[in-house]
């Protein structure tokens, strides 16, 4: 009899512990609800901000490219003007010819620098693709958060459908876009293409 | 008569950058923001006008670069147009796939405009 009592006591104690644990887990889950909701609400804000940065840097970069194009046209005009001017001076006017050559060289240097600037502006496309990648990951996280909320009963199927439809359609990017850490050198790509052309 | 190059990329910055690099060299530039628009542009050209070279990105909405190249290579009228891929995808798989579908060259972004010009003049003398 006393053995049965002891076993009963043990089981009762275990059940009490189990109930307490379950209550703690439920409390913890309840506490998760608000942060989950807050996190879910922040995701679209973050993706919008990333998209806005992309749009603004794109507009600024294109404006700079427009200016570089105008500069380049003006530089060509200046150079051809200076060459015409040089023809007006007699061949033996070495001082003037040398001076005009120096000016033409300087204008050419400016034109080269403009091209270097133009090359550098490719950063916008690369960073924009990286931001698109980050935004796509955030959108995936938003959908997953809503799926967890569905389990808690704080989100419905239509919430999930809404989030999926909000995911920006046509978000296309190169996930490996990188300005500096190129795994492949251009000469390696060329040699691959040349090898295939030679083999075929 | 100047030769015509079709630049296909969904990034307006890249389109502008490439156009500017080549316009200075006297090429006529047509642009498209994806493969679908590129096909439309090429198809709508008159007999007198033709595209001499295509420069295309790979990852684009609607119709990507691989599909664009495949379509052009299957078309009797356009199958011989030289095609240069411009992409930030620098993995071996991407380059091999580019080759398989029929691209002539593959430039990895970011690239120097001088390198692009060098590549273009290989096909357009």
């Amino acid at each position: 009899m006393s053995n049965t009592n002891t076993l009963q006591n043990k089981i009762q104690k275990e059940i009490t512990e189990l109930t307490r644990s379950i209550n703690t887990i439920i409390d913890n889950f309840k506490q998760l609800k608000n942060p989950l909701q807050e996190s879910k609400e922040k995701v679209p804000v973050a993706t919008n901000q990333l998209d806005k940065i992309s749009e603004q840097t794109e507009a600024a970069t294109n404006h700079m490219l427009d200016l570089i194009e105008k500069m380049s046209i003006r530089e060509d005009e200046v150079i051809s003007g200076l060459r015409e001017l040089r023809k007006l001076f007699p061949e033996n006017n070495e001082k003037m010819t040398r001076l005009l050559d120096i000016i033409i060289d300087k204008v050419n240097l400016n034109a080269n620098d403009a091209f270097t600037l133009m090359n550098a502006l490719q950063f916008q496309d690369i960073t924009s693709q990286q931001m698109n990648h980050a935004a796509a990951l955030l959108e995936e996280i938003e959908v997953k958060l809503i799926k967890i909320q569905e389990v808690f009963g704080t989100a419905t199927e239509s919430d999930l459908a809404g989030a999926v439809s909000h995911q920006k359609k046509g978000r296309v990017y190169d996930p490996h876009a990188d300005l500096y850490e190129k795994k492949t050198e251009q000469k390696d790509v060329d040699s691959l293409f040349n090898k295939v052309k030679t083999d075929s | 008569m100047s030769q015509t190059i079709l630049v296909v990329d969904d990034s307006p910055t890249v389109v502008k950058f490439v156009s500017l690099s080549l316009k200075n060299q006297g090429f006529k530039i047509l642009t498209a923001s994806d493969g679908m628009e590129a096909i439309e542009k090429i198809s709508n050209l008159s007999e007198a006008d033709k595209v001499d070279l295509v420069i295309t990105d790979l990852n684009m909405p609607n119709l990507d670069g691989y599909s664009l190249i495949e379509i052009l290579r299957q078309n009797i009228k356009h199958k011989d147009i030289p095609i240069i891929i411009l992409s930030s995808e620098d993995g071996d798989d991407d380059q091999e796939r580019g080759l398989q579908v029929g691209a002539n060259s593959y430039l990895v972004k970011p690239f120097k405009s001088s390198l692009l010009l060098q590549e273009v003049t290989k096909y357009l003398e």
Side-chain angles (χ1 to χ4, degrees):
Chain A
M1 190 69 182
S2 75
N3 271 349
T4 314
N5 278 343
T6 315
L7 188 63
Q8 239 177 1
N9 284 342
K10 267 187 180 175
I11 291 171
Q12 210 164 10
K13 204 177 158 192
E14 284 300 321
I15 289 173
T16 311
E17 277 300 313
L18 197 62
T19 312
R20 200 171 291 148
S21 295
I22 288 169
N23 282 333
T24 310
I25 290 168
I26 290 170
D27 282 345
N28 286 342
F29 274 139
K30 278 181 184 164
Q31 281 174 30
L32 269 176
K33 275 184 188 173
N34 284 343
L36 205 57
Q37 179 64 18
E38 282 170 22
S39 304
K40 192 210 79 180
E41 284 167 3
K42 281 178 185 166
V43 171
V45 177
T47 49
N48 281 341
Q49 279 174 339
L50 286 174
D51 287 339
K52 201 170 268 183
I53 293 169
S54 272
E55 284 162 20
Q56 286 173 349
T57 56
E58 185 179 287
T61 307
N62 286 339
H63 182 54
M64 282 190 268
L65 284 170
D66 284 340
L67 292 177
I68 289 172
E69 185 175 18
K70 284 178 188 162
M71 275 166 57
S72 164
I73 293 167
R74 281 198 297 266
E75 277 154 359
D76 285 346
E77 287 169 355
V78 170
I79 288 173
S80 60
L82 288 170
R83 283 186 181 137
E84 286 301 313
L85 191 62
R86 196 167 57 177
K87 284 181 198 163
L88 298 177
F89 290 97
E91 286 287 327
N92 59 3
N93 193 337
E94 280 180 21
K95 195 177 174 187
M96 187 54 76
T97 311
R98 206 172 56 239
L99 193 61
L100 286 172
D101 282 343
I102 289 170
I103 298 171
I104 289 171
D105 283 347
K106 299 268 182 208
V107 178
N108 273 327
L109 278 177
N110 275 354
N112 288 341
D113 285 349
F115 261 84
T116 309
L117 264 177
M118 198 172 81
N119 285 330
L121 287 174
Q122 283 180 88
F123 86 93
Q124 192 282 327
D125 172 55
I126 306 288
T127 51
S128 175
Q129 296 201 40
Q130 287 169 337
M131 279 190 280
N132 250 323
H133 191 190
L137 292 175
L138 281 170
E139 284 170 346
E140 274 177 41
I141 290 170
E142 183 187 10
V143 169
K144 281 175 183 156
L145 287 173
I146 293 175
K147 280 182 180 166
I148 297 171
Q149 283 189 311
E150 260 191 304
V151 174
F152 288 144
T154 52
T156 61
E157 263 182 40
S158 69
D159 291 327
L160 185 62
V164 171
S165 72
H166 279 127
Q167 283 182 311
K168 193 171 174 180
K169 296 283 178 267
R171 196 185 278 288
V172 182
Y173 53 87
D174 289 343
H176 304 112
D178 202 315
L179 202 51
Y180 302 108
E181 294 171 19
K182 279 280 157 253
K183 293 188 283 297
T184 313
E185 293 285 335
Q186 184 61 46
K187 59 178 167 46
D188 298 331
V189 184
D190 291 343
S191 89
L192 172 75
F193 269 66
N194 288 334
K195 185 179 176 299
V196 173
K197 277 178 201 161
T198 316
D199 292 349
S200 58
Chain B
M1 200 179 88
S2 63
Q3 290 168 302
T4 303
I5 299 175
L6 175 63
V7 182
V8 193
D9 201 304
D10 56 334
S11 159
T13 309
V14 174
V15 169
K16 202 175 263 284
F17 171 72
V18 174
S19 306
L20 197 50
S21 305
L22 299 173
K23 232 169 23 184
N24 282 346
Q25 306 301 320
F27 294 109
K28 185 182 167 192
I29 306 295
L30 294 178
T31 65
S33 59
D34 59 50
M36 201 64 88
E37 197 187 336
I39 298 284
E40 278 169 24
K41 285 244 163 116
I42 291 180
S43 309
N44 291 335
L45 283 175
S46 66
E47 276 298 318
D49 295 319
K50 67 177 178 74
V51 168
D52 298 290
L53 184 136
V54 173
I55 297 174
T56 182
D57 185 18
L58 289 178
N59 290 318
M60 293 180 289
N62 302 321
L63 189 74
D64 66 18
Y66 296 119
S67 311
L68 168 66
I69 298 169
E70 278 174 335
I71 291 170
L72 290 176
R73 289 296 179 239
Q74 284 162 15
N75 184 291
I76 293 173
K77 199 175 160 195
H78 307 299
K79 68 181 170 58
D80 295 323
I81 298 177
I83 301 174
I84 299 173
I85 292 176
L86 274 188
S87 175
S88 11
E89 298 285 6
D90 65 340
D92 289 345
D93 292 350
D94 304 296
Q95 291 149 25
E96 276 167 18
R97 197 175 159 203
L99 260 173
Q100 275 168 10
V101 293
N104 297 81
S105 296
Y106 192 113
L107 286 185
V108 182
K109 290 179 193 172
F111 55 92
K112 285 190 175 156
S113 52
S114 54
L115 182 66
L116 173 69
L117 188 63
Q118 187 186 312
E119 209 60 36
V120 166
T121 46
K122 264 192 210 171
Y123 305 101
L124 302 181
E125 289 293 353

